[in-house]
């Protein structure tokens, strides 16, 4: 019986093609790949390897950094001009209203200026977020699943976690990277994302205050507007509206020529603050929407590219968690869950 059982066994001997065998970068084990597999995942450590890797290009890195530094310098000078120019332009006006209003104006200006400059500095000069350091490269050191869904960054020559993204402008991997902002010359990531949102809030409030104060002060020093033939316009419909608009604009330009240097600075402060206010408000709203959805800008793009298979839980608890509020208050906040729709017949 033993001989018949032994003779019934079939043994197959085959050769392994060297093109199908490779070494896992995460644990160093030799892997047998399917035919023509551009991306594979190690069954032991969970690391993901892509064989279609482009050669890293770092020759333009210095140019990007120089461009970012120029943007930071220009923005710093512009903020300094808004603060100093605004204080000088409305100094006479705030104290002409009342002494109390003047003191209140200077206190509020100091608070807004200090908050905006400090949050801008933290966003621009603080590290955006360093990915955690992990052991890799050797089988005895790397345990099972220690590098789950990790990829290898050929720019930094080290493992990259699923939550990290390599920024070619900064030349490093950033944890929970949202985007690279050229105006702060830095990436927005896990370490400085709160400071960036605080900077946007402070900048929006500051531009609102500057626009209202410069407009109110400018109306008091604006020369009288003299219309030449506004009361003698004839016609109807569209032609009359166009001629009236031209007459009003001509009168405003004629009176603006008579403005003093203080008045011209007030006009510039109003136009620039309103423009910044619109742009920063749109950016702030977009950022808050991503935080509400539990995503970053890059994760939003990747979810769109993958068809939105991975659905995050939306809700106000994401915003409170982002700003570091205690978890105990989450139970009292409304949540929006993506539940399947039910149809009744």
């Amino acid at each position: 019986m033993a001989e018949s059982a032994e003779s019934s066994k079939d043994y197959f001997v085959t050769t392994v093609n060297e093109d199908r065998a490779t070494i896992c970068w995460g644990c160093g084990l030799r892997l047998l790949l399917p035919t023509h597999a551009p991306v594979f995942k190690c069954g032991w450590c969970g690391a993901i390897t892509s064989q279609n890797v482009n050669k890293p290009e770092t020759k333009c890195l210095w140019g990007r950094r120089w461009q970012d530094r120029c943007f930071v310098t220009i923005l710093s000078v512009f903020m300094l001009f808004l603060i100093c120019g605004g204080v000088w332009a409305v100094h006479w006006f705030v104290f002409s209203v009342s002494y109390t209003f003047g003191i209140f104006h200077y206190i509020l200006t100091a608070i807004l200026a200090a908050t905006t400059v400090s949050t801008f500095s933290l966003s621009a000069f603080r590290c955006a977020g360093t990915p955690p350091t992990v052991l890799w490269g050797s089988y005895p050191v790397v345990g099972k699943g220690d590098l789950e869904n990790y990829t290898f960054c050929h720019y930094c020559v080290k493992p990259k976690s699923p939550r990290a993204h390599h920024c070619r402008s900064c030349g490093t991997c950033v944890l929970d990277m949202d985007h690279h902002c050229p105006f702060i010359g830095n990436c927005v990531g896990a370490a400085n994302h709160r400071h960036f949102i605080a900077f946007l809030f402070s900048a929006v409030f500051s531009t609102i205050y500057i626009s209202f104060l410069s407009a109110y002060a400018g109306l008091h020093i604006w020369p009288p507007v003299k219309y030449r033939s506004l009361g003698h316009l004839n016609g109807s419909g569209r032609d009359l509206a166009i001629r009236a608009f031209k007459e009003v604009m001509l009168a405003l330009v004629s009176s603006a020529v008579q403005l003093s240097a203080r008045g011209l600075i007030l006009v510039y402060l109003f136009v620039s603050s309103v423009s910044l206010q619109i742009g920063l408000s749109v950016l702030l709203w977009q950022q808050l929407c991503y935080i509400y959805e539990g995503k970053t800008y890059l994760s939003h793009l990747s979810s769109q590219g993958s068809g939105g298979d991975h659905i995050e839980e939306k809700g106000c608890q994401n915003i409170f968690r982002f700003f570091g509020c205690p978890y105990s208050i989450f139970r009292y906040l409304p949540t929006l869950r993506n539940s399947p729709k039910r149809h009744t017949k």
Side-chain angles (χ1 to χ4, degrees):
M1 295 291 292
E3 293 180 358
S4 62
E6 187 71 22
S7 61
S8 64
K9 292 182 179 180
D10 295 330
Y11 296 92
F12 297 93
V13 179
T14 183
T15 58
V16 177
N17 190 356
E18 291 295 331
D19 295 337
R20 296 176 56 189
T22 187
I23 303 262
C24 175
W25 65 264
C27 58
L29 294 179
R30 191 175 181 86
L31 303 178
L32 183 62
L33 305 180
T35 307
H36 306 295
V39 180
F40 61 91
K41 182 175 181 180
C42 178
W44 173 256
C45 65
I48 299 176
T49 302
S50 176
Q51 301 190 68
N52 299 331
V53 179
N54 296 326
K55 186 178 180 180
E57 297 180 0
T58 57
K59 59 182 180 180
C60 296
L61 182 60
W62 66 270
R64 295 168 183 164
R65 291 181 177 177
W66 183 84
Q67 183 181 10
D68 289 341
R69 296 298 178 266
C70 291
F71 275 123
V72 172
T73 304
I74 294 174
L75 186 58
S76 301
V77 172
F78 180 72
M79 287 193 301
L80 185 64
F81 171 76
L82 286 181
I83 295 172
C84 299
V87 169
W88 174 79
V90 301
H91 172 76
W92 64 273
F93 172 74
V94 293
F95 282 99
S96 65
V97 175
S98 67
Y99 184 78
T100 304
F101 180 71
I103 297 299
F104 170 78
H105 161 72
Y106 275 101
I107 293 176
L108 183 59
T109 301
I111 294 174
L112 291 176
T115 304
T116 305
V117 172
S118 60
T119 53
F120 171 78
S121 302
L122 290 173
S123 303
F125 304 111
R126 184 174 182 178
C127 178
T130 304
T133 303
V134 294
L135 299 176
W136 63 284
S138 177
Y139 163 69
V141 176
V142 180
K144 186 174 179 60
D146 287 351
L147 299 176
E148 188 67 26
N149 293 329
Y150 270 69
T151 55
F152 189 79
C153 180
H154 293 268
Y155 296 92
C156 301
V157 196
K158 63 181 182 180
K160 182 175 65 175
S161 69
R163 295 172 51 194
H165 183 82
H166 183 84
C167 177
R168 297 188 180 184
S169 297
C170 296
T172 183
C173 290
V174 179
L175 185 64
D176 289 339
M177 178 177 172
D178 185 85
H179 68 285
H180 180 86
C181 182
F183 296 102
I184 64 174
N186 195 8
C187 287
V188 178
N192 65 344
H193 202 169
R194 295 181 189 175
H195 303 300
F196 182 72
I197 297 298
F199 166 68
L200 292 180
F201 270 113
S202 179
V204 168
F205 290 144
S206 300
T207 52
I208 291 175
Y209 181 70
I210 292 174
S211 60
F212 274 104
L213 190 62
S214 59
Y216 190 61
L219 290 176
H220 285 74
I221 65 172
W222 195 277
V225 180
K226 299 179 180 179
Y227 301 101
R228 297 180 179 179
S229 59
L230 186 61
H232 303 283
L233 293 177
N234 298 322
S236 60
R238 182 179 179 181
D239 295 337
L240 179 60
I242 293 177
R243 282 184 289 176
F245 177 76
K246 290 181 179 179
E247 180 67 23
V248 171
M249 294 302 298
L250 183 61
L252 290 176
V253 171
S254 300
S255 61
V257 174
Q258 305 175 11
L259 282 173
S260 61
R262 193 186 301 270
L264 293 176
I265 291 180
L266 287 175
V267 173
Y268 177 77
L269 288 175
F270 174 77
V271 175
S272 59
S273 61
V274 170
S275 303
L276 280 176
Q277 177 185 335
I278 295 174
L280 293 177
S281 299
V282 173
L283 179 59
L284 178 60
W285 176 255
Q286 183 189 50
Q287 288 286 310
L288 292 178
C289 288
Y290 290 146
I291 296 172
Y292 177 83
E293 295 176 357
K295 300 179 180 179
T296 61
Y297 175 68
L298 290 180
S299 64
H300 172 72
L301 294 181
S302 62
S303 64
Q304 285 185 337
S306 61
D309 297 333
H310 183 65
I311 300 177
E312 300 286 348
E313 182 180 354
K314 302 178 181 180
C316 296
Q317 73 276 3
N318 292 329
I319 297 179
F320 282 85
R321 188 185 295 111
F322 175 82
F323 288 104
C325 294
Y327 184 80
S328 58
I329 66 174
F330 293 163
R331 68 184 69 176
Y332 305 107
L333 299 176
T335 58
L336 178 61
R337 302 181 183 275
N338 294 315
S339 57
K341 297 181 180 180
R342 299 179 179 178
H343 300 275
T344 58
K345 297 181 179 180

